[in-house]
Amino acid sequence: MLRLCARLSLLPALFVGALLLSPASALKVEPVVAGGILYTVATVNPATDRLQLHWLNPTTQVPYATFAQLRARLRKEGRTLGFATNSGIYAPGLKPLGLHVEQGRTLVPLNMARSGGNFALLPNGVFWVKGARAGVTETRRYATLNVQPTFATQSGPLLLQGGKVHPEFNRGSTSFKLRSGVGVCQDGQVRFAVSAGPVNFYSFAVFFRDTLGCPDALYLDGSISAYATGDRSTQLADFAGIWSVSR
């Protein structure tokens, strides 16, 4: 039976335990420990939470780049940031390397590259949101579907596909890095996870499957990964895309 690891409410206050934006919001941001690794996990209900993807500031047409800039923009619109994290892998110039969809508009097309770093460690995939639904879909399969998402990001590699760990992942791998990812889970919730310390791909994938209950999950990025809550940010490098939950 897949299960969500017990919440660690006694950890230092720098973590936000069970953060709720409003009575109608399902957003929770909490610390979870598995396999000796501490993760920050944000649980989002796409049916009730305002989950959105951002890249270019509509006023300046340049990337937001930082959580602080996005937070300021949301504040001008009368909204409050509850959670934010980096989107998928990006190219020089803070441009998403793969598919990037905002408000139903495709700003960067699907990337079918078969070589070039983690992004092209096939199979890779797309995390998409459409109304009250979300999914993680392998790239080639996504290309054959007519998803027409409201928001979407492409990255790679896929961590999990139907509960199966990526075939190239090795339990004994010595490639340990801070990592972030997103999963769509058995309960219909979306879960973003950012590790607090180095973890290999295999352990990260198993964490999504066995601890968070997500049969489908996508790697977002590595050492630059970060998150923000209402009063905290761990960001040290600029981003292209940023996922946010706000009210």
Side-chain angles (χ1 to χ4, degrees):
M1 178 70 70
L2 297 173
R3 61 184 177 81
L4 182 65
C5 189
R7 298 172 192 171
L8 303 179
S9 59
L10 296 181
L11 285 179
L14 58 86
F15 292 101
V16 181
L19 172 68
L20 300 182
L21 277 182
S22 69
S25 172
L27 176 66
K28 296 178 183 177
V29 183
E30 56 194 342
V32 177
V33 173
I37 300 295
L38 173 65
Y39 301 88
T40 296
V41 177
T43 299
V44 182
N45 184 340
T48 59
D49 292 319
R50 191 170 186 170
L51 176 60
Q52 296 183 303
L53 180 60
H54 316 265
W55 174 30
L56 302 177
N57 184 314
T59 300
T60 63
Q61 290 302 304
V62 299
Y64 283 104
T66 68
F67 297 144
Q69 291 186 51
L70 177 59
R71 190 194 306 274
R73 175 73 188 194
L74 293 174
R75 188 179 298 119
K76 287 182 179 180
E77 296 175 357
R79 293 157 58 191
T80 301
L81 180 69
F83 174 77
T85 192
N86 53 279
S87 184
I89 293 172
Y90 54 89
L94 297 183
K95 179 180 179 179
L97 186 57
L99 180 70
H100 184 101
V101 179
E102 289 185 33
Q103 301 292 358
R105 296 185 302 119
T106 299
L107 303 184
V108 179
L110 199 67
N111 185 341
M112 304 299 288
R114 303 185 64 85
S115 63
N118 287 330
F119 181 92
L121 182 57
L122 304 182
N124 57 13
V126 175
F127 167 60
W128 54 267
V129 178
K130 183 177 183 179
R133 299 187 301 119
V136 170
T137 305
E138 188 271 329
T139 293
R140 289 172 298 178
R141 181 166 181 268
Y142 181 90
T144 69
L145 302 176
N146 187 30
V147 178
Q148 296 185 346
T150 313
F151 300 97
T153 188
Q154 182 186 9
S155 195
L158 276 179
L159 297 171
L160 296 164
Q161 187 175 7
K164 295 182 178 179
V165 175
H166 192 291
E168 296 296 322
F169 293 175
N170 180 355
R171 184 193 302 266
S173 170
T174 58
S175 177
F176 287 89
K177 295 183 179 181
L178 186 151
R179 304 187 190 275
S180 68
V182 60
V184 177
C185 306
Q186 288 182 325
D187 57 7
Q189 310 266 31
V190 170
R191 291 191 170 94
F192 293 93
V194 182
S195 70
V199 61
N200 67 22
F201 272 134
Y202 184 91
S203 296
F204 196 40
V206 169
F207 170 71
F208 270 97
R209 185 188 66 190
D210 295 352
T211 301
L212 301 185
C214 303
D216 299 291
L218 178 67
Y219 175 70
L220 291 177
D221 216 329
S223 300
I224 57 92
S225 296
Y227 70 92
T229 58
D231 58 0
R232 173 173 169 76
S233 172
T234 65
Q235 184 173 10
L236 296 175
D238 289 346
F239 300 134
I242 298 174
W243 286 98
S244 77
V245 179
S246 64
R247 62 174 172 87

